[in-house]
Amino acid sequence: MPNIQRINISKQEKLYSDGVIFGNVLWISGMLPIDSKGDIVGKGDAALQGEQVFQNIHAVLEQAHLDFKDVVKLFIYLKNIDDRARIALVRKNCFGDNLPASTLVEVSSLAHPDALLEIEAVAYRG
């Protein structure tokens, strides 16, 4: 049975790991637009929040010695589906032509009241 490796990008106390490596797969928990101090970034601005979320995802990927090119699946949760175009531009800057499979849904609320989006990811360590 493969070992399970846990990744955390901050020293904030929480009840989950930011990422879990099991075998050749890295499962990245839902990332909110929160900086290293635990503060929400870009209040009211989905694009700025998206940039922070993807920075957080990248930090987890780096700890696993991976990059955006290794991401095979994204799960995107938006509080307002009309923010999709703004998030798509941020996403394009991260992934370029390396397009992972993706799910995008609108939700009524997220874990932080000022968060406009949350994104989780799955990456493959080939």
Side-chain angles (χ1 to χ4, degrees):
M1 174 165 260
N3 289 334
I4 295 174
Q5 179 185 353
R6 298 178 197 299
I7 296 172
N8 284 301
I9 58 172
S10 73
K11 296 187 188 317
Q12 295 172 7
E13 202 169 310
K14 48 190 156 188
L15 300 173
Y16 61 90
S17 298
D18 292 322
V20 174
I21 299 170
F22 182 73
N24 287 333
V25 179
L26 168 63
W27 302 87
I28 300 176
S29 293
M31 291 286 144
L32 292 171
I34 295 176
D35 64 16
S36 60
K37 295 178 272 183
D39 297 325
I40 199 82
V41 172
K43 189 173 177 182
D45 186 326
L48 283 177
Q49 288 196 2
E51 289 173 8
Q52 182 65 49
V53 168
F54 281 115
Q55 284 177 25
N56 295 345
I57 290 170
H58 192 255
V60 176
L61 289 166
E62 280 187 318
Q63 284 199 27
H65 307 290
L66 299 172
D67 205 334
F68 286 119
K69 67 180 174 22
D70 302 303
V71 173
V72 295
K73 175 73 174 170
L74 289 175
F75 302 87
I76 302 172
Y77 307 93
L78 295 177
K79 281 180 74 174
N80 182 347
I81 201 74
D82 293 335
D83 287 333
R84 188 173 93 187
R86 286 183 279 286
I87 300 307
L89 291 174
V90 176
R91 178 182 161 161
K92 179 74 172 162
N93 287 336
C94 295
F95 289 95
D97 293 330
N98 296 311
L99 303 175
S102 184
T103 298
L104 184 143
V105 295
E106 183 178 48
V107 297
S108 62
S109 64
L110 295 165
H112 191 289
D114 293 325
L116 301 175
L117 72 152
E118 182 171 344
I119 301 174
E120 56 185 284
V122 178
Y124 180 73
R125 296 166 23 127

